[in-house]
Every structure is written in structure tokens, then in C-alpha cells.
Amino acid sequence: MSSRLSLLPSLRPYATYAAVSSGPADSTVAAARPPVRGSTLIRSSMDDGDARSAVHMGGFLSMRRYDPPSWSSHLRPLPSHTFSLGHLPTPIHRWNLPHLSDGVEVWIKRDDLSGMQLSGNKVRKLEFLMADAIENGADCVITVGGIQSNHCRATAVAARYLNLDCYLILRTSKALVEKDPGLVGNLLVERLVGAHIDLVSKEEYAKIGSVTLADLLKKKLMKEGRNPYVIPVGGSNSLGSWGYIEAINEIEQQIQSNCGVPQFDDIVVACGSGGTIAGLSLGSKLSNLKAKVHAFSVCDDPNYFYNFVQGLIDGLRAGSDARDLVEIQDAKGLGYAMSTAEELKFVKDIAAATGVVLDPVYSGKAAYGMLKDMASNPAKWTNRKVLFIHTGGLLGLYDKVEEMTSLVADWRKMEIDESTPREDGIGKMF
């Protein structure tokens, strides 16, 4: 047993597996089946009866049979199960952005508050992908991303929740590939939860690709007797896209709840790997929402993403054309995870004006691109009700601390007059 697990003597390596039937509301919890090695569906000191009740109620970290929205039930293949990993539904509120044109109304869906250590939009995809990993008997997962990948950090957390080992292949510069990657931002969380990290240079990554790199590690682990499950970059495959098909269902329910959320004309979101916009755009078309999806790509180019999203949609046998479902604009600027001074100032200004903190890699660039487009094409947005999806990524700001320091220099030493009474011990330190 590893030293990490030896510090947790009360943690059972396996827990009861039980799935809620997709039948009537009063159906009983399905009988438990033998647990898969390395899988924990509920970590709790509850006895079996209480654990089953938690699963039956759809408790956090429970696994349930997936019942898709009726308007998506014709898609194939349908996911069989999903995990409850997120704090859902995430709130929607009015976003009082400065300098909006007359008649434009912007709201924001706070998927940055989805839980799981600030894991943003990644949670929704992982609810389906982790369920599939467990269904396939995995004892560990592999995924790939940049050195500050939000997806990799989210996967590491989700894996640890479910008592699966996590292997991360992280892309970094050639100069740093043989050095300790440090504890900045996402890396701190990944390393705290015990993820195994393999570094690869950007040059090698460009020549080999994420699929082959993950397959190499998979074969190595299989030779060691492990049963790894590979999650693609960003969790973006056809299965992962169900996370945002389901998010559309959630948005519809929020609109129908009579809590002041309006019917939206447009949805705006960042695009980094394609799965989120595939789910949103397909779900919006199939549902009653029918909002136009606008994606701002933070890497690659729009043509790449149109083709990639088309592949995900075809993988669901949806029979739709990606170019009819979503408008994709280039917002990568200097490049993936690289920010201009103007973009970072925008993130700071929006936080100061509205209290909403955007990340510099995804939602910061998407919001920046959205407001530029609104200013350049006012007729396109006039009298539109727009929902902006905040996909999270706050920890990425820690990688920009040096660049942002001059933007937030609003501090000073407090001035205290010499005549102010002083007495040793009067100020208690709590």
C-alpha cells in the first residue's frame, strides 16, 4: 500500500456500487454488483442502508442510470450511466457588463461554480466519462493537456474522489521538460491529490500527438497489470459532449422555473477542445431553446473546430451540420494560454466592474472577443438576450501573477497618527 493510502486507514478501497433505476420515481435501488478494482462510488462512514439511500436520492458522488432529455433520446450511442460530480444546477444571473450597446442584455451561467475544486465546464464532461471508466472496469485514468490544464486538474480530482489513480501527460517547454514543474495553479492541486505526472516537450507533442502519447502510457500501464481508461484532451469526445447536451436541459429548466431567467437568443462560450460547443450547439438545436451558439476559439482556428465538432456530432449520429449549429470566431490572440497586456487588463477591469473573475485562457478571451464583436457589429446583437457560459479556469490566473502585478497595485501602508492611543496586548490576534 502506498504511503498516501496508509495515512487514510479509514478509507475503504471499494464501496457499494448501486445504480438508481431509470424507471419510475418509486423504483428501488438496483442490487449491488461486485465492485471494480480501484473504484469507490460513495466514500462515507454510512452503513449500507444509508449509503443506498444517498444513491437513491442522487447524492453527491453517486452513480445513476442516465435518462436523457426526450429531445435527445434518438442520438446514439446513449450513455448508460453518469456520476454526480458537480454542484448543479449552476446559477444564472444578470451580468452588468460596462459599455453594452442599447438593447443588449447579457446574462452569465456560472459553470465556474460547478464545484470539484473550481473545475468549471470539465465537471459536466467527467460525469459521463468517469461513469464509462467505471463501467469498463478501469483502475486508473490517463489524460493529456498543457502544463496548466484545467481539464487535467479536474480529472485528477475526479479520479481521486472515485479512488482511481490518475496519470497526466503535461505539455511544457523544451527547457523545462526535465525540471520539477512546481506547484503553481493547477499543478498544486494535481500534485496534492496524488496524480502521476509525465512531462513532454511541446516539440515532441507536436510531432507525436496526444493520442499516441496516451496510447504509449496505456500500453506501459497494461504491462504492469493495470486497466487504464484514456480520456481525450479536454474530455472532448462524443461521450463527453453529453455533459453540455445535459446543460442545455438544465438551462431550459431554469428558464421554465419562473425565477426571472429569460428566454435567450444567443449563447456565448469559449472553445478550447470542442466538446463543450458540440454539446451546447446540438442541444440548443434539438431542444426548445433554439439559441444561436457563438464560440470563441482560444487555440487552433475556426476551420479546425468546425471539422472537429462535426466529427463529434457525427459520432452521435445527429445528422446535423456543425456550420449551421455554431458560429466560431478566432480569439486565440498571441496563442493558447498566452495573453496580451490588453487582455489581462480586460480581465482585471471586468472583475473590478462586476465582481466576476474570468480566467485568462478561456472565458477571459471569449468575453473579450464577445464585447469586441458587439462593438463592431451592433446590429447583430441589438435587442438580443445573451447567455455567456463561464467555463471556469480561475487557477490559471496564478500563472499570470507577474504579468498582472502592475494592474492591481492598489495597496498602501495604513497611515496611523502618532496621537492614536497604543497599549501592548490590546489587539488580539485571531
Side-chain angles (χ1 to χ4, degrees), residues 360-394:
V361 180
Y362 297 97
S363 289
K365 289 189 176 184
Y368 182 74
M370 176 184 73
L371 289 183
K372 282 181 66 176
D373 196 51
M374 286 179 172
S376 301
N377 304 289
K380 172 182 172 183
W381 300 94
T382 299
N383 298 323
R384 308 284 286 185
K385 289 182 172 61
V386 181
L387 180 63
F388 183 90
I389 310 288
H390 188 335
T391 54
L394 178 63

PDB file of all heavy atoms in Angstrom, residues 360-394:
ATOM      1  N   PRO A 360      -7.712  33.783 -17.713  1.00  0.00           N
ATOM      2  CA  PRO A 360      -7.033  34.401 -18.854  1.00  0.00           C
ATOM      3  C   PRO A 360      -6.961  33.532 -20.095  1.00  0.00           C
ATOM      4  O   PRO A 360      -6.679  34.037 -21.182  1.00  0.00           O
ATOM      5  CB  PRO A 360      -5.622  34.664 -18.311  1.00  0.00           C
ATOM      6  CG  PRO A 360      -5.408  33.586 -17.300  1.00  0.00           C
ATOM      7  CD  PRO A 360      -6.758  33.350 -16.668  1.00  0.00           C
ATOM      8  N   VAL A 361      -7.227  32.225 -19.973  1.00  0.00           N
ATOM      9  CA  VAL A 361      -7.027  31.294 -21.087  1.00  0.00           C
ATOM     10  C   VAL A 361      -8.306  31.086 -21.887  1.00  0.00           C
ATOM     11  O   VAL A 361      -8.278  31.024 -23.121  1.00  0.00           O
ATOM     12  CB  VAL A 361      -6.490  29.944 -20.572  1.00  0.00           C
ATOM     13  CG1 VAL A 361      -6.281  28.963 -21.731  1.00  0.00           C
ATOM     14  CG2 VAL A 361      -5.182  30.143 -19.812  1.00  0.00           C
ATOM     15  N   TYR A 362      -9.435  30.993 -21.218  1.00  0.00           N
ATOM     16  CA  TYR A 362     -10.698  30.636 -21.871  1.00  0.00           C
ATOM     17  C   TYR A 362     -11.726  31.764 -21.809  1.00  0.00           C
ATOM     18  O   TYR A 362     -11.892  32.522 -22.759  1.00  0.00           O
ATOM     19  CB  TYR A 362     -11.258  29.349 -21.252  1.00  0.00           C
ATOM     20  CG  TYR A 362     -10.371  28.153 -21.449  1.00  0.00           C
ATOM     21  CD1 TYR A 362      -9.481  27.756 -20.455  1.00  0.00           C
ATOM     22  CD2 TYR A 362     -10.403  27.429 -22.630  1.00  0.00           C
ATOM     23  CE1 TYR A 362      -8.643  26.661 -20.636  1.00  0.00           C
ATOM     24  CE2 TYR A 362      -9.581  26.337 -22.823  1.00  0.00           C
ATOM     25  CZ  TYR A 362      -8.691  25.955 -21.824  1.00  0.00           C
ATOM     26  OH  TYR A 362      -7.864  24.876 -22.010  1.00  0.00           O
ATOM     27  N   SER A 363     -12.440  31.861 -20.698  1.00  0.00           N
ATOM     28  CA  SER A 363     -13.558  32.805 -20.623  1.00  0.00           C
ATOM     29  C   SER A 363     -13.123  34.263 -20.741  1.00  0.00           C
ATOM     30  O   SER A 363     -13.878  35.094 -21.239  1.00  0.00           O
ATOM     31  CB  SER A 363     -14.344  32.589 -19.324  1.00  0.00           C
ATOM     32  OG  SER A 363     -15.062  31.376 -19.388  1.00  0.00           O
ATOM     33  N   GLY A 364     -11.908  34.577 -20.299  1.00  0.00           N
ATOM     34  CA  GLY A 364     -11.411  35.941 -20.463  1.00  0.00           C
ATOM     35  C   GLY A 364     -11.314  36.324 -21.927  1.00  0.00           C
ATOM     36  O   GLY A 364     -11.752  37.401 -22.339  1.00  0.00           O
ATOM     37  N   LYS A 365     -10.763  35.424 -22.733  1.00  0.00           N
ATOM     38  CA  LYS A 365     -10.639  35.701 -24.164  1.00  0.00           C
ATOM     39  C   LYS A 365     -12.004  35.677 -24.861  1.00  0.00           C
ATOM     40  O   LYS A 365     -12.243  36.452 -25.790  1.00  0.00           O
ATOM     41  CB  LYS A 365      -9.686  34.699 -24.820  1.00  0.00           C
ATOM     42  CG  LYS A 365      -8.219  34.920 -24.431  1.00  0.00           C
ATOM     43  CD  LYS A 365      -7.281  34.066 -25.261  1.00  0.00           C
ATOM     44  CE  LYS A 365      -5.824  34.389 -24.921  1.00  0.00           C
ATOM     45  NZ  LYS A 365      -4.862  33.652 -25.777  1.00  0.00           N
ATOM     46  N   ALA A 366     -12.887  34.792 -24.401  1.00  0.00           N
ATOM     47  CA  ALA A 366     -14.216  34.725 -25.018  1.00  0.00           C
ATOM     48  C   ALA A 366     -15.019  35.990 -24.744  1.00  0.00           C
ATOM     49  O   ALA A 366     -15.674  36.541 -25.645  1.00  0.00           O
ATOM     50  CB  ALA A 366     -14.964  33.501 -24.511  1.00  0.00           C
ATOM     51  N   ALA A 367     -14.994  36.471 -23.509  1.00  0.00           N
ATOM     52  CA  ALA A 367     -15.728  37.699 -23.170  1.00  0.00           C
ATOM     53  C   ALA A 367     -15.124  38.904 -23.878  1.00  0.00           C
ATOM     54  O   ALA A 367     -15.845  39.797 -24.351  1.00  0.00           O
ATOM     55  CB  ALA A 367     -15.725  37.910 -21.658  1.00  0.00           C
ATOM     56  N   TYR A 368     -13.806  38.926 -23.969  1.00  0.00           N
ATOM     57  CA  TYR A 368     -13.106  39.993 -24.687  1.00  0.00           C
ATOM     58  C   TYR A 368     -13.528  40.000 -26.151  1.00  0.00           C
ATOM     59  O   TYR A 368     -13.863  41.052 -26.727  1.00  0.00           O
ATOM     60  CB  TYR A 368     -11.599  39.753 -24.552  1.00  0.00           C
ATOM     61  CG  TYR A 368     -10.712  40.796 -25.207  1.00  0.00           C
ATOM     62  CD1 TYR A 368     -10.551  42.060 -24.654  1.00  0.00           C
ATOM     63  CD2 TYR A 368     -10.003  40.490 -26.370  1.00  0.00           C
ATOM     64  CE1 TYR A 368      -9.708  42.997 -25.237  1.00  0.00           C
ATOM     65  CE2 TYR A 368      -9.170  41.416 -26.966  1.00  0.00           C
ATOM     66  CZ  TYR A 368      -9.023  42.664 -26.394  1.00  0.00           C
ATOM     67  OH  TYR A 368      -8.192  43.592 -26.985  1.00  0.00           O
ATOM     68  N   GLY A 369     -13.568  38.818 -26.763  1.00  0.00           N
ATOM     69  CA  GLY A 369     -13.992  38.717 -28.155  1.00  0.00           C
ATOM     70  C   GLY A 369     -15.448  39.071 -28.343  1.00  0.00           C
ATOM     71  O   GLY A 369     -15.825  39.710 -29.338  1.00  0.00           O
ATOM     72  N   MET A 370     -16.294  38.668 -27.400  1.00  0.00           N
ATOM     73  CA  MET A 370     -17.718  38.978 -27.486  1.00  0.00           C
ATOM     74  C   MET A 370     -17.964  40.483 -27.472  1.00  0.00           C
ATOM     75  O   MET A 370     -18.720  41.007 -28.312  1.00  0.00           O
ATOM     76  CB  MET A 370     -18.465  38.322 -26.320  1.00  0.00           C
ATOM     77  CG  MET A 370     -19.953  38.673 -26.256  1.00  0.00           C
ATOM     78  SD  MET A 370     -20.793  37.972 -24.803  1.00  0.00           S
ATOM     79  CE  MET A 370     -20.143  39.040 -23.491  1.00  0.00           C
ATOM     80  N   LEU A 371     -17.332  41.194 -26.547  1.00  0.00           N
ATOM     81  CA  LEU A 371     -17.563  42.634 -26.452  1.00  0.00           C
ATOM     82  C   LEU A 371     -16.985  43.368 -27.659  1.00  0.00           C
ATOM     83  O   LEU A 371     -17.557  44.366 -28.121  1.00  0.00           O
ATOM     84  CB  LEU A 371     -16.975  43.173 -25.156  1.00  0.00           C
ATOM     85  CG  LEU A 371     -17.721  42.759 -23.884  1.00  0.00           C
ATOM     86  CD1 LEU A 371     -17.110  43.410 -22.649  1.00  0.00           C
ATOM     87  CD2 LEU A 371     -19.199  43.116 -23.971  1.00  0.00           C
ATOM     88  N   LYS A 372     -15.871  42.881 -28.189  1.00  0.00           N
ATOM     89  CA  LYS A 372     -15.325  43.478 -29.416  1.00  0.00           C
ATOM     90  C   LYS A 372     -16.293  43.285 -30.573  1.00  0.00           C
ATOM     91  O   LYS A 372     -16.513  44.196 -31.380  1.00  0.00           O
ATOM     92  CB  LYS A 372     -13.964  42.849 -29.755  1.00  0.00           C
ATOM     93  CG  LYS A 372     -12.802  43.381 -28.919  1.00  0.00           C
ATOM     94  CD  LYS A 372     -11.489  42.742 -29.332  1.00  0.00           C
ATOM     95  CE  LYS A 372     -11.084  43.129 -30.742  1.00  0.00           C
ATOM     96  NZ  LYS A 372      -9.756  42.586 -31.102  1.00  0.00           N
ATOM     97  N   ASP A 373     -16.878  42.090 -30.672  1.00  0.00           N
ATOM     98  CA  ASP A 373     -17.830  41.819 -31.755  1.00  0.00           C
ATOM     99  C   ASP A 373     -19.095  42.649 -31.582  1.00  0.00           C
ATOM    100  O   ASP A 373     -19.665  43.142 -32.571  1.00  0.00           O
ATOM    101  CB  ASP A 373     -18.170  40.330 -31.783  1.00  0.00           C
ATOM    102  CG  ASP A 373     -18.833  39.920 -33.091  1.00  0.00           C
ATOM    103  OD1 ASP A 373     -18.276  40.253 -34.158  1.00  0.00           O
ATOM    104  OD2 ASP A 373     -19.889  39.289 -33.043  1.00  0.00           O
ATOM    105  N   MET A 374     -19.540  42.822 -30.356  1.00  0.00           N
ATOM    106  CA  MET A 374     -20.730  43.645 -30.105  1.00  0.00           C
ATOM    107  C   MET A 374     -20.489  45.098 -30.498  1.00  0.00           C
ATOM    108  O   MET A 374     -21.378  45.774 -31.027  1.00  0.00           O
ATOM    109  CB  MET A 374     -21.131  43.565 -28.629  1.00  0.00           C
ATOM    110  CG  MET A 374     -21.776  42.247 -28.241  1.00  0.00           C
ATOM    111  SD  MET A 374     -22.194  42.186 -26.475  1.00  0.00           S
ATOM    112  CE  MET A 374     -23.124  40.645 -26.412  1.00  0.00           C
ATOM    113  N   ALA A 375     -19.256  45.580 -30.249  1.00  0.00           N
ATOM    114  CA  ALA A 375     -18.921  46.960 -30.605  1.00  0.00           C
ATOM    115  C   ALA A 375     -18.776  47.127 -32.117  1.00  0.00           C
ATOM    116  O   ALA A 375     -19.165  48.162 -32.682  1.00  0.00           O
ATOM    117  CB  ALA A 375     -17.631  47.378 -29.907  1.00  0.00           C
ATOM    118  N   SER A 376     -18.236  46.096 -32.777  1.00  0.00           N
ATOM    119  CA  SER A 376     -18.002  46.188 -34.214  1.00  0.00           C
ATOM    120  C   SER A 376     -19.258  45.907 -35.036  1.00  0.00           C
ATOM    121  O   SER A 376     -19.398  46.417 -36.153  1.00  0.00           O
ATOM    122  CB  SER A 376     -16.904  45.186 -34.632  1.00  0.00           C
ATOM    123  OG  SER A 376     -15.701  45.444 -33.951  1.00  0.00           O
ATOM    124  N   ASN A 377     -20.151  45.073 -34.497  1.00  0.00           N
ATOM    125  CA  ASN A 377     -21.354  44.672 -35.235  1.00  0.00           C
ATOM    126  C   ASN A 377     -22.608  44.877 -34.375  1.00  0.00           C
ATOM    127  O   ASN A 377     -23.296  43.908 -34.018  1.00  0.00           O
ATOM    128  CB  ASN A 377     -21.247  43.198 -35.646  1.00  0.00           C
ATOM    129  CG  ASN A 377     -20.009  42.907 -36.465  1.00  0.00           C
ATOM    130  OD1 ASN A 377     -19.911  43.311 -37.619  1.00  0.00           O
ATOM    131  ND2 ASN A 377     -19.067  42.200 -35.871  1.00  0.00           N
ATOM    132  N   PRO A 378     -22.903  46.116 -34.019  1.00  0.00           N
ATOM    133  CA  PRO A 378     -24.022  46.356 -33.089  1.00  0.00           C
ATOM    134  C   PRO A 378     -25.359  45.831 -33.590  1.00  0.00           C
ATOM    135  O   PRO A 378     -26.170  45.359 -32.789  1.00  0.00           O
ATOM    136  CB  PRO A 378     -24.036  47.880 -32.937  1.00  0.00           C
ATOM    137  CG  PRO A 378     -23.291  48.409 -34.119  1.00  0.00           C
ATOM    138  CD  PRO A 378     -22.256  47.381 -34.443  1.00  0.00           C
ATOM    139  N   ALA A 379     -25.604  45.892 -34.904  1.00  0.00           N
ATOM    140  CA  ALA A 379     -26.890  45.434 -35.434  1.00  0.00           C
ATOM    141  C   ALA A 379     -27.095  43.937 -35.185  1.00  0.00           C
ATOM    142  O   ALA A 379     -28.228  43.468 -35.006  1.00  0.00           O
ATOM    143  CB  ALA A 379     -26.978  45.730 -36.925  1.00  0.00           C
ATOM    144  N   LYS A 380     -26.003  43.179 -35.182  1.00  0.00           N
ATOM    145  CA  LYS A 380     -26.060  41.736 -34.964  1.00  0.00           C
ATOM    146  C   LYS A 380     -26.579  41.382 -33.562  1.00  0.00           C
ATOM    147  O   LYS A 380     -27.209  40.341 -33.363  1.00  0.00           O
ATOM    148  CB  LYS A 380     -24.648  41.156 -35.176  1.00  0.00           C
ATOM    149  CG  LYS A 380     -24.451  39.697 -34.821  1.00  0.00           C
ATOM    150  CD  LYS A 380     -22.986  39.334 -35.061  1.00  0.00           C
ATOM    151  CE  LYS A 380     -22.647  37.944 -34.546  1.00  0.00           C
ATOM    152  NZ  LYS A 380     -21.211  37.618 -34.724  1.00  0.00           N
ATOM    153  N   TRP A 381     -26.344  42.271 -32.597  1.00  0.00           N
ATOM    154  CA  TRP A 381     -26.651  41.980 -31.205  1.00  0.00           C
ATOM    155  C   TRP A 381     -27.797  42.832 -30.638  1.00  0.00           C
ATOM    156  O   TRP A 381     -28.213  42.613 -29.500  1.00  0.00           O
ATOM    157  CB  TRP A 381     -25.408  42.196 -30.344  1.00  0.00           C
ATOM    158  CG  TRP A 381     -24.262  41.319 -30.738  1.00  0.00           C
ATOM    159  CD1 TRP A 381     -23.246  41.630 -31.595  1.00  0.00           C
ATOM    160  CD2 TRP A 381     -24.015  39.979 -30.308  1.00  0.00           C
ATOM    161  NE1 TRP A 381     -22.380  40.581 -31.725  1.00  0.00           N
ATOM    162  CE2 TRP A 381     -22.824  39.544 -30.939  1.00  0.00           C
ATOM    163  CE3 TRP A 381     -24.665  39.101 -29.442  1.00  0.00           C
ATOM    164  CZ2 TRP A 381     -22.284  38.278 -30.727  1.00  0.00           C
ATOM    165  CZ3 TRP A 381     -24.128  37.843 -29.221  1.00  0.00           C
ATOM    166  CH2 TRP A 381     -22.955  37.445 -29.868  1.00  0.00           C
ATOM    167  N   THR A 382     -28.308  43.775 -31.407  1.00  0.00           N
ATOM    168  CA  THR A 382     -29.349  44.675 -30.906  1.00  0.00           C
ATOM    169  C   THR A 382     -30.576  43.900 -30.433  1.00  0.00           C
ATOM    170  O   THR A 382     -31.076  43.012 -31.126  1.00  0.00           O
ATOM    171  CB  THR A 382     -29.764  45.678 -32.007  1.00  0.00           C
ATOM    172  OG1 THR A 382     -28.620  46.451 -32.365  1.00  0.00           O
ATOM    173  CG2 THR A 382     -30.858  46.612 -31.505  1.00  0.00           C
ATOM    174  N   ASN A 383     -31.026  44.241 -29.236  1.00  0.00           N
ATOM    175  CA  ASN A 383     -32.226  43.647 -28.632  1.00  0.00           C
ATOM    176  C   ASN A 383     -32.121  42.139 -28.430  1.00  0.00           C
ATOM    177  O   ASN A 383     -33.130  41.437 -28.388  1.00  0.00           O
ATOM    178  CB  ASN A 383     -33.474  43.975 -29.466  1.00  0.00           C
ATOM    179  CG  ASN A 383     -33.751  45.462 -29.531  1.00  0.00           C
ATOM    180  OD1 ASN A 383     -33.554  46.183 -28.547  1.00  0.00           O
ATOM    181  ND2 ASN A 383     -34.189  45.941 -30.685  1.00  0.00           N
ATOM    182  N   ARG A 384     -30.902  41.652 -28.291  1.00  0.00           N
ATOM    183  CA  ARG A 384     -30.702  40.220 -28.063  1.00  0.00           C
ATOM    184  C   ARG A 384     -30.474  39.952 -26.573  1.00  0.00           C
ATOM    185  O   ARG A 384     -29.851  40.737 -25.864  1.00  0.00           O
ATOM    186  CB  ARG A 384     -29.495  39.707 -28.845  1.00  0.00           C
ATOM    187  CG  ARG A 384     -29.501  40.035 -30.321  1.00  0.00           C
ATOM    188  CD  ARG A 384     -30.446  39.187 -31.111  1.00  0.00           C
ATOM    189  NE  ARG A 384     -29.975  37.822 -31.297  1.00  0.00           N
ATOM    190  CZ  ARG A 384     -30.619  36.933 -32.061  1.00  0.00           C
ATOM    191  NH1 ARG A 384     -31.760  37.266 -32.667  1.00  0.00           N
ATOM    192  NH2 ARG A 384     -30.140  35.705 -32.201  1.00  0.00           N
ATOM    193  N   LYS A 385     -30.975  38.826 -26.115  1.00  0.00           N
ATOM    194  CA  LYS A 385     -30.704  38.353 -24.760  1.00  0.00           C
ATOM    195  C   LYS A 385     -29.644  37.262 -24.869  1.00  0.00           C
ATOM    196  O   LYS A 385     -29.871  36.216 -25.480  1.00  0.00           O
ATOM    197  CB  LYS A 385     -31.985  37.839 -24.107  1.00  0.00           C
ATOM    198  CG  LYS A 385     -32.977  38.950 -23.756  1.00  0.00           C
ATOM    199  CD  LYS A 385     -34.211  38.392 -23.076  1.00  0.00           C
ATOM    200  CE  LYS A 385     -35.101  39.525 -22.564  1.00  0.00           C
ATOM    201  NZ  LYS A 385     -35.567  40.405 -23.650  1.00  0.00           N
ATOM    202  N   VAL A 386     -28.496  37.532 -24.282  1.00  0.00           N
ATOM    203  CA  VAL A 386     -27.306  36.703 -24.477  1.00  0.00           C
ATOM    204  C   VAL A 386     -26.945  35.998 -23.174  1.00  0.00           C
ATOM    205  O   VAL A 386     -26.894  36.628 -22.111  1.00  0.00           O
ATOM    206  CB  VAL A 386     -26.117  37.566 -24.943  1.00  0.00           C
ATOM    207  CG1 VAL A 386     -24.882  36.703 -25.172  1.00  0.00           C
ATOM    208  CG2 VAL A 386     -26.480  38.352 -26.199  1.00  0.00           C
ATOM    209  N   LEU A 387     -26.679  34.701 -23.254  1.00  0.00           N
ATOM    210  CA  LEU A 387     -26.189  33.938 -22.109  1.00  0.00           C
ATOM    211  C   LEU A 387     -24.723  33.594 -22.332  1.00  0.00           C
ATOM    212  O   LEU A 387     -24.375  32.883 -23.276  1.00  0.00           O
ATOM    213  CB  LEU A 387     -26.995  32.645 -21.928  1.00  0.00           C
ATOM    214  CG  LEU A 387     -26.550  31.762 -20.751  1.00  0.00           C
ATOM    215  CD1 LEU A 387     -26.729  32.481 -19.429  1.00  0.00           C
ATOM    216  CD2 LEU A 387     -27.300  30.429 -20.761  1.00  0.00           C
ATOM    217  N   PHE A 388     -23.867  34.102 -21.474  1.00  0.00           N
ATOM    218  CA  PHE A 388     -22.440  33.793 -21.524  1.00  0.00           C
ATOM    219  C   PHE A 388     -22.169  32.648 -20.553  1.00  0.00           C
ATOM    220  O   PHE A 388     -22.543  32.714 -19.382  1.00  0.00           O
ATOM    221  CB  PHE A 388     -21.612  35.018 -21.139  1.00  0.00           C
ATOM    222  CG  PHE A 388     -20.118  34.805 -21.226  1.00  0.00           C
ATOM    223  CD1 PHE A 388     -19.442  35.073 -22.405  1.00  0.00           C
ATOM    224  CD2 PHE A 388     -19.394  34.338 -20.130  1.00  0.00           C
ATOM    225  CE1 PHE A 388     -18.072  34.875 -22.495  1.00  0.00           C
ATOM    226  CE2 PHE A 388     -18.032  34.137 -20.213  1.00  0.00           C
ATOM    227  CZ  PHE A 388     -17.366  34.403 -21.397  1.00  0.00           C
ATOM    228  N   ILE A 389     -21.510  31.602 -21.041  1.00  0.00           N
ATOM    229  CA  ILE A 389     -21.167  30.455 -20.190  1.00  0.00           C
ATOM    230  C   ILE A 389     -19.749  30.659 -19.650  1.00  0.00           C
ATOM    231  O   ILE A 389     -18.775  30.642 -20.401  1.00  0.00           O
ATOM    232  CB  ILE A 389     -21.215  29.121 -20.960  1.00  0.00           C
ATOM    233  CG1 ILE A 389     -22.528  28.972 -21.737  1.00  0.00           C
ATOM    234  CG2 ILE A 389     -20.999  27.954 -19.996  1.00  0.00           C
ATOM    235  CD1 ILE A 389     -23.734  28.716 -20.914  1.00  0.00           C
ATOM    236  N   HIS A 390     -19.635  30.870 -18.345  1.00  0.00           N
ATOM    237  CA  HIS A 390     -18.318  30.993 -17.711  1.00  0.00           C
ATOM    238  C   HIS A 390     -17.821  29.582 -17.427  1.00  0.00           C
ATOM    239  O   HIS A 390     -18.339  28.885 -16.556  1.00  0.00           O
ATOM    240  CB  HIS A 390     -18.458  31.789 -16.415  1.00  0.00           C
ATOM    241  CG  HIS A 390     -17.149  32.157 -15.757  1.00  0.00           C
ATOM    242  ND1 HIS A 390     -15.989  31.442 -15.940  1.00  0.00           N
ATOM    243  CD2 HIS A 390     -16.825  33.180 -14.925  1.00  0.00           C
ATOM    244  CE1 HIS A 390     -15.006  31.999 -15.244  1.00  0.00           C
ATOM    245  NE2 HIS A 390     -15.497  33.053 -14.622  1.00  0.00           N
ATOM    246  N   THR A 391     -16.801  29.151 -18.153  1.00  0.00           N
ATOM    247  CA  THR A 391     -16.345  27.756 -18.071  1.00  0.00           C
ATOM    248  C   THR A 391     -15.276  27.514 -17.016  1.00  0.00           C
ATOM    249  O   THR A 391     -14.723  26.418 -16.933  1.00  0.00           O
ATOM    250  CB  THR A 391     -15.828  27.290 -19.447  1.00  0.00           C
ATOM    251  OG1 THR A 391     -14.825  28.202 -19.918  1.00  0.00           O
ATOM    252  CG2 THR A 391     -16.964  27.209 -20.452  1.00  0.00           C
ATOM    253  N   GLY A 392     -14.979  28.513 -16.188  1.00  0.00           N
ATOM    254  CA  GLY A 392     -14.045  28.301 -15.085  1.00  0.00           C
ATOM    255  C   GLY A 392     -12.603  28.543 -15.476  1.00  0.00           C
ATOM    256  O   GLY A 392     -12.300  29.273 -16.412  1.00  0.00           O
ATOM    257  N   GLY A 393     -11.689  27.926 -14.720  1.00  0.00           N
ATOM    258  CA  GLY A 393     -10.269  28.082 -15.008  1.00  0.00           C
ATOM    259  C   GLY A 393      -9.564  29.110 -14.164  1.00  0.00           C
ATOM    260  O   GLY A 393      -8.485  29.589 -14.520  1.00  0.00           O
ATOM    261  N   LEU A 394     -10.152  29.464 -13.019  1.00  0.00           N
ATOM    262  CA  LEU A 394      -9.594  30.520 -12.174  1.00  0.00           C
ATOM    263  C   LEU A 394      -8.141  30.280 -11.791  1.00  0.00           C
ATOM    264  O   LEU A 394      -7.335  31.219 -11.730  1.00  0.00           O
ATOM    265  CB  LEU A 394     -10.452  30.665 -10.914  1.00  0.00           C
ATOM    266  CG  LEU A 394     -10.003  31.703  -9.880  1.00  0.00           C
ATOM    267  CD1 LEU A 394     -10.049  33.093 -10.472  1.00  0.00           C
ATOM    268  CD2 LEU A 394     -10.870  31.625  -8.632  1.00  0.00           C
TER     269      LEU A 394
END
